[in-house]
């Protein structure tokens, strides 16, 4: 990152007096202190799990305390010394096995047992870090033969408790599979190990004029294999689309040790069933992704970011429609943030807000294109229009990379900011755009009516933000601590709400353990039966990711959640 | 289409004297006669199967003559009167069953038994045209219960013999399922019946400012369900990507009559295995696609098309790299056509060529963007560069919609033009870009060395064209008639060639019957085993598309093709 820009370079679009037809006013400036700019751009885009998790005062309960109805599946073998010995012999390298059986290694195991949100915590006694697909194959086959349950783990940056064990599952961590295998700068096709960290992949691509087709707040820890297993969406889905389209090939290991070699380096290949697609969004339940071939777009020469305040959700919709029309092919993100979300970022960072005044909604728009002059012209015409028509009330445009990062910080920093004040209930929802924000309003109303929200209450607020262009909103309820009353007020009520709107109860975060018992709100019996067939086909012993994904249907009956 | 443009409007970029640094010369004009312009733009983009197939002089052999080693699978029941009676009773409408059992209906059945290339011909005695998913479910379940083999059929515009029966399979034709179910012009999500013709879908979308994310020469007859089943690629894959990314949901009927209801209208939905992906490119082997939900991009306000002559394949690669760099996000097609391909179009249409002089390679570049002025500037800068650097030797830019269609005709008309002179062996190959054209050169050399090519020989030439940006070339060998010597000279040699280059033996056309026996050149034993598991899971009786797709592996042994 270059030196922080002078604040005077942040061009404001404010229309203080609000004339009949507003125009862009490049003279008026916002006052973001230099040090805030600098601080923000570096912190918000990286998440350091270890330091997060070791924060004092956060007593992480075990997942089994959260879900007391979950019982360890007795079909699974308990870890014995002979198993650990096999792993050590097979993986050779001393550091490849964290052994909590022979000795007390709880401190070493903790970062692999706990998720970064401090919501989920398992009790594994062993973490394996294979360094090749052959090693993954050997240890996975061994687990399958010996009925040892397994959790594949990437950067452990998931949001649904998928990447940590529930009981004593063996953790197979991909961190040591971190090589870039090949890159073709004519076609843009990158082939990498599953354990490569997203940001490292993107930095490598940057040197070659390309971009990783996915971006998200946790890019500094999330791994590409995990991205694919979770079918991550992220910030630039609007422009570059789904991993189902961008992933060209996979190398994966099935529970029985079979290596699926489908690491095609071709954009098109119509030769049989596209089996790799089952692993994209399969959340590690049918195998472990060890290699990824992915189509990477050319890096745009010009990037612009604007940040707006808007007076209503109707105006947000109008702004989105205009952005699609006028910015067309250069629009690379259209993000929605409500007042509450920006309030949390402000409280956490103490940064001066990009624009003055309070608005119920804020949007962040990014353009990426091959010609800066053209992009500026398009953006200015768009801004002039939305200001002139009073669709947008106020706004700023970043003038350099530092300011771009700073504005993105107001979007990407939301999750971290809320976490700072306690814990957060997270719902990642797809909803037709016209009703996208209504779920936040209805949830707020519901919690207020139950007197669960407020300064002296357990819930700190109800927050909505997300990917407007994808019809994907993150409904978040920051709380002082996880609380059964709050949870009971929201679940399954919110899933019923989504079901009525034909939305999705998990847009991009996946099922993990958090949504496992609510899948019935989304999928009918036929679809569930067909999905179970696939699980049965690839993982007949059920060793992969037990208690998660589709396995929660049984839980539904125990808790009565879906029938209340 | 508007009235044909005056020819003077076609701006030429010719550099007749080739100075040290060429510049765009808008003065010099090409001479395309008005009537040719008009004739071309209408004919090339539509294929009327019925008229094609009834052309006299084309005696279509039965597929079983082409593959004498294929034997009818005796597990399948032969059609009886009781079956036809059931179909008539179930589908109600008189016109929904073409019954060739009770009476001679060979003329009526012929268009469903033959493919448009006149290469494949089956012997079905019954064609069913259900009009709802429930009807599809009922007849398919009946076929499954009674061991009647089935071929699902869309627009019958495939290129690998997939869409017509081999023996007496029941044809289930989707033509009557042709409704547009819903469209959301904010999100661009279209939900349609599987039997909607592509062009009709696109025309509907045009009225709503959007575009069908796929385009191909056969758009006038190809159906969307068939597009998806075949995982069609086409002309704008470069820009809008794969159907694996664009298809948001499917409704499909499994062989046992189960209706898979996964017709999501959401861009993001991470709730379980993405089963629909198996049907995308499944070529109807595990079920029939009756409904499609698809993400449609906004229609670009500005479209430009340029057509170039280039002196070598090295220069084609340079031009492609420059186009990616300079046109970036507005590049929507980069098509390659060799001299032979353009010669066939010229011979068939007798149109004057867009540019004078002979070049070994021609390219068609299309840009689509939201701002015509910006696009023109980008295109001009690009053209100036590639002309100035002598990467491109000569070129023209279309000045209006008619000329755009006319230039596209030189690309889209290739297949039809070759067909006019007899038949064509077609190979649809993915190859890393640097070797993309070498397969054409090597094939030409091989046929020449075997004295199979020439004015008095069976092969008329070796033709290469395709989607440069996707690394996808169509190697075509037009012949006076299908000929065993030519076929033996090419197959399996060409598949071995592709195998060595780690390419694909089917980029976008699929396997059908044409490639079924060569799948072993593409996929290893593990992948094939896993694919057979999927087939077995969904179609345990094997009634769907017998003798095709993966089932050709047995044939390999009969012919010895893969071992020679």
């Amino acid at each position: 990152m270059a030196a922080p820009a002078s604040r005077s370079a942040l061009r404001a679009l404010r229309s203080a007096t609000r004339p009949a037809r507003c125009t862009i006013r490049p003279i008026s400036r916002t006052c973001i202190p230099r040090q805030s700019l600098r601080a923000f751009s570096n912190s918000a885009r990286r998440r350091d799990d270890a330091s997060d998790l070791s924060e004092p005062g956060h007593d992480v309960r075990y997942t089994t305390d959260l879900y007391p109805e979950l019982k360890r599946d007795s079909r699974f073998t308990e870890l014995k010394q002979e198993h650990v010995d096999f792993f050590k012999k097979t993986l050779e390298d001393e550091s490849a096995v964290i052994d909590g059986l022979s000795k007390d290694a709880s401190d070493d195991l903790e970062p692999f047992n706990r998720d970064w949100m401090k919501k989920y915590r398992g009790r594994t006694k062993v973490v394996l870090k294979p360094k090749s697909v052959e090693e993954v194959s050997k240890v996975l086959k061994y687990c399958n033969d010996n009925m040892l349950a397994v959790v594949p783990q990437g950067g452990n940056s998931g949001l649904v408790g998928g990447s940590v064990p529930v009981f004593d599952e063996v953790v197979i961590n991909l961190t040591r599979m971190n090589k870039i295998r090949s890159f073709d700068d004519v076609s843009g096709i990158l082939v990498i190990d599953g354990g490569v960290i997203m940001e490292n992949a993107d930095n490598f691509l940057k040197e070659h004029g390309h971009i990783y087709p996915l971006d998200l707040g946790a890019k500094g820890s999330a791994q590409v294999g995990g991205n694919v297993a979770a079918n991550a969406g992220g910030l630039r889905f609007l422009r570059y689309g789904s991993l189902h389209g961008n992933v060209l090939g996979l190398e994966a290991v099935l529970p029985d040790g079979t290596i699926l070699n489908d690491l095609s380096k071709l954009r098109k290949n119509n030769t049989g069933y596209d089996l790799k697609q089952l692993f994209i969004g399969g959340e590690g339940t049918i195998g472990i992704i060890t290699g990824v071939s992915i189509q990477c777009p050319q890096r745009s020469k010009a990037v612009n970011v604007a940040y707006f305040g808007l007076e209503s959700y109707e105006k947000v919709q109008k702004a989105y429609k205009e952005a699609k029309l006028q910015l067309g092919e250069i629009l690379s993100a259209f993000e929605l943030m409500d007042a509450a979300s920006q309030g949390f970022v402000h409280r956490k960072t103490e940064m001066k807000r990009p624009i003055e005044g309070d608005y119920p909604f804020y949007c962040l728009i990014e353009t990426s294109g091959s010609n800066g002059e053209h992009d500026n012209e398009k953006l200015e015409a768009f801004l002039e229009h939305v200001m002139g028509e009073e669709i947008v009330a106020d706004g700023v445009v970043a003038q350099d990379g530092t300011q771009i990062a700073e504005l993105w910080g107001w979007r990407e920093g939301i999750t971290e900011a809320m976490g700072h004040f306690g814990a957060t209930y997270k719902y990642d929802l797809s909803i037709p755009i016209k009703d996208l924000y209504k779920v936040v309003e209805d949830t707020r109303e519901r919690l207020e009516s139950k007197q669960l929200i407020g300064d002296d209450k357990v819930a700190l607020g109800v927050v909505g933000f997300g990917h407007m262009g994808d019809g994907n909103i993150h409904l978040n309820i920051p709380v002082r601590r996880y609380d059964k009353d709050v949870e009971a007020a929201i679940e399954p009520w919110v899933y019923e709400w989504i079901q009525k709107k034909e939305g999705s109860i998990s847009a991009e975060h996946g099922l993990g353990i958090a949504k496992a018992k609510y899948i019935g709100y989304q999928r009918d019996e036929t679809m569930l039966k067909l999905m179970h067939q696939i699980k049965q086909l690839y993982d007949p012993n059920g060793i992969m990711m037990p208690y998660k994904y589709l396995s929660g249907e049984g839980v539904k009956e125990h808790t009565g959640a879906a029938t209340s």
Side-chain angles (χ1 to χ4, degrees), chain A:
Chain A
M1 197 67 71
S6 122
R7 61 194 167 88
S8 64
L10 196 67
R11 181 157 50 85
L13 304 164
R14 187 164 314 121
S15 49
T17 56
R18 188 129 329 121
R21 286 183 64 82
C22 313
T23 54
I24 303 173
R25 293 178 50 189
I27 304 148
S28 126
R29 309 290 181 196
T30 56
C31 304
I32 298 173
R34 268 173 172 254
Q35 65 274 28
S36 302
L37 262 172
R38 190 190 299 126
F40 212 98
S41 60
N42 291 332
S43 75
R45 292 179 69 89
R46 198 176 303 262
R47 196 152 64 217
D48 186 342
D49 295 355
S51 68
D52 238 355
L53 290 168
S54 61
E55 264 184 46
H58 287 294
D59 197 10
V60 182
R61 291 185 303 175
Y62 287 106
T63 303
T64 47
D65 297 334
L66 207 61
Y67 299 97
E69 69 278 11
L70 279 178
K71 303 295 169 214
R72 184 180 180 284
D73 189 332
S74 60
R75 293 178 308 136
F76 299 132
T77 309
E78 291 194 27
L79 191 74
K80 297 191 190 75
Q81 193 57 46
E82 65 188 82
H83 304 142
V84 176
D85 291 345
F86 174 86
F87 295 140
K88 285 184 177 173
K89 202 177 117 218
T90 305
L91 300 189
E92 293 175 2
D93 190 324
E94 188 76 8
S95 67
V97 180
I98 303 179
D99 168 14
L101 191 73
S102 325
K103 56 177 192 273
D104 178 14
S106 50
D107 284 355
D108 294 340
L109 290 169
E110 205 52 26
F112 304 91
N113 264 322
R114 289 201 298 200
D115 80 314
W116 72 274
M117 298 186 298
K118 306 151 204 156
K119 186 168 184 184
Y120 303 101
R121 186 180 181 195
R123 292 179 162 103
T124 195
K125 285 260 168 36
V126 67
V127 173
L128 311 180
K129 297 183 178 179
K131 65 174 190 305
S132 68
V133 63
E134 290 78 16
E135 286 189 355
V136 173
S137 169
K138 281 178 199 161
V139 297
L140 196 51
K141 180 180 190 314
Y142 183 83
C143 290
N144 193 46
D145 290 347
N146 289 279
M147 283 301 284
L148 288 160
V150 169
V151 173
Q153 189 177 70
N156 197 4
S157 60
L159 292 155
V160 289
S163 56
V164 290
V166 179
F167 292 95
D168 57 345
E169 300 94 287
V170 173
V171 171
I172 300 184
N173 183 291
L174 273 281
T175 303
R176 294 210 308 157
M177 284 197 68
N178 58 4
K179 303 248 173 341
I180 287 170
R181 300 195 193 176
S182 70
F183 180 66
D184 177 341
D185 70 352
V186 178
S187 65
I189 296 167
L190 174 73
V191 183
I192 38 179
D193 280 357
V196 173
I197 290 172
M198 267 181 79
E199 196 164 51
N200 294 348
D202 193 53
N203 286 340
F204 169 85
L205 287 162
K206 191 174 186 176
E207 287 168 30
H208 296 81
H210 285 70
I211 186 172
Y212 190 67
L214 181 70
D215 193 12
L216 37 85
K219 69 191 287 185
S221 52
Q223 296 175 5
V224 299
N227 293 165
V228 175
N231 189 28
L235 301 164
R236 292 190 181 95
F237 185 99
L238 176 69
R239 171 70 167 272
Y240 301 118
S242 153
L243 287 175
H244 285 292
N246 291 320
V247 172
L248 302 178
L250 287 184
E251 176 190 84
V253 180
L254 305 187
D256 69 359
T258 297
I259 297 172
L260 179 140
N261 180 9
D262 187 19
L263 214 44
S264 164
K265 288 181 244 179
L266 306 165
R267 284 198 78 161
K268 291 177 172 177
N269 185 15
N270 275 358
T271 52
Y273 305 112
D274 198 354
L275 298 179
K276 70 171 181 288
Q277 300 286 353
L278 297 174
F279 296 81
I280 303 174
E283 299 186 31
T285 58
I286 53 173
I288 299 182
I289 296 169
T290 53
V292 175
S293 169
I294 190 163
Q295 176 73 46
C296 300
Q298 200 146 275
R299 206 167 194 97
S300 296
K301 291 176 209 155
V303 175
N304 287 306
V305 170
Y307 179 100
F308 308 139
L310 303 98
E311 283 159 348
S312 70
Y313 185 64
E314 283 60 47
K315 294 198 172 181
V316 173
Q317 288 182 79
K318 276 188 194 165
Y320 174 58
K321 222 170 157 174
E322 285 303 323
K324 265 185 73 177
L325 266 173
Q326 297 195 36
L327 301 173
E329 66 281 359
I330 63 167
L331 184 64
S332 53
F334 194 111
E335 297 288 307
L336 169 70
M337 296 90 76
D338 70 3
S341 74
Q342 299 304 274
F344 274 97
V345 177
H346 183 62
R347 279 171 67 190
K348 161 75 185 340
T349 63
E350 296 180 355
M351 270 174 58
K352 177 139 178 121
R353 291 161 182 271
I355 53 179
E356 281 166 21
D358 289 328
Y359 298 95
F361 297 98
Y362 298 86
C363 286
L364 183 150
I365 290 183
E366 184 191 76
T367 67
S368 311
S370 58
N371 184 315
E373 212 172 294
H374 291 167
D375 292 6
N376 286 341
E377 267 182 47
K378 286 192 183 85
L379 187 60
E380 294 212 354
F382 164 72
L383 295 173
E384 212 158 319
H385 178 79
V386 291
M387 298 288 289
E389 296 289 319
E390 295 190 32
I391 296 168
V392 159
D394 195 2
V396 286
V397 178
Q399 297 298 296
D400 58 30
T402 306
Q403 291 187 348
I404 285 174
E406 189 265 339
L407 287 181
W408 264 116
W410 285 91
R411 165 65 184 84
E412 291 190 274
I414 297 170
T415 296
E416 193 184 358
M418 281 184 299
H420 186 71
F421 298 97
T424 310
Y425 285 100
K426 292 175 174 296
Y427 303 92
D428 161 44
L429 310 166
S430 274
I431 306 172
I433 288 175
K434 71 177 167 46
D435 292 321
L436 192 65
Y437 196 71
K438 190 153 174 40
V439 73
V440 183
E441 292 167 338
D442 286 2
T443 305
R444 192 175 291 136
E445 198 177 298
R446 186 174 169 87
L447 292 186
E448 277 168 359
S449 76
K450 290 181 183 286
Q451 299 184 311
L452 287 164
I453 200 167
D455 281 350
D456 55 344
K457 300 287 183 348
V458 65
L460 299 165
V462 175
V463 173
F465 60 99
H467 316 294
M468 180 81 185
D470 312 326
N472 177 194
I473 195 155
H474 301 307
L475 166 69
N476 278 215
I477 297 102
V479 286
R480 289 173 215 283
R481 61 190 174 278
Y482 292 117
D483 179 274
K484 278 284 167 200
D485 288 342
V486 173
E487 192 170 329
I490 310 167
E491 301 179 25
W493 171 84
V494 69
Y495 299 119
E496 288 164 3
W497 195 102
I498 291 300
Q499 193 177 33
K500 279 183 215 140
K501 297 284 182 189
E502 294 184 41
S504 172
I505 65 162
S506 175
E508 60 176 9
H509 294 171
L511 297 169
I513 191 166
K515 312 281 179 76
K517 60 181 174 179
Y518 300 111
I519 180 81
Y521 286 98
Q522 188 71 49
R523 300 293 198 169
D524 65 20
E525 285 302 317
T526 304
M527 285 301 288
L528 286 173
K529 186 183 143 221
L530 294 170
M531 286 185 191
H532 279 293
Q533 279 180 348
I534 295 291
K535 171 75 175 174
Q536 180 64 25
L537 184 66
Y538 289 105
D539 183 24
N541 290 343
I543 62 159
M544 304 297 290
M545 300 280 277
Y547 325 109
K548 297 169 187 164
Y549 207 61
L550 305 177
S551 60
E553 285 173 278
V555 177
K556 189 169 64 181
E557 280 146 52
H558 296 297
T559 61
T563 51
S564 65

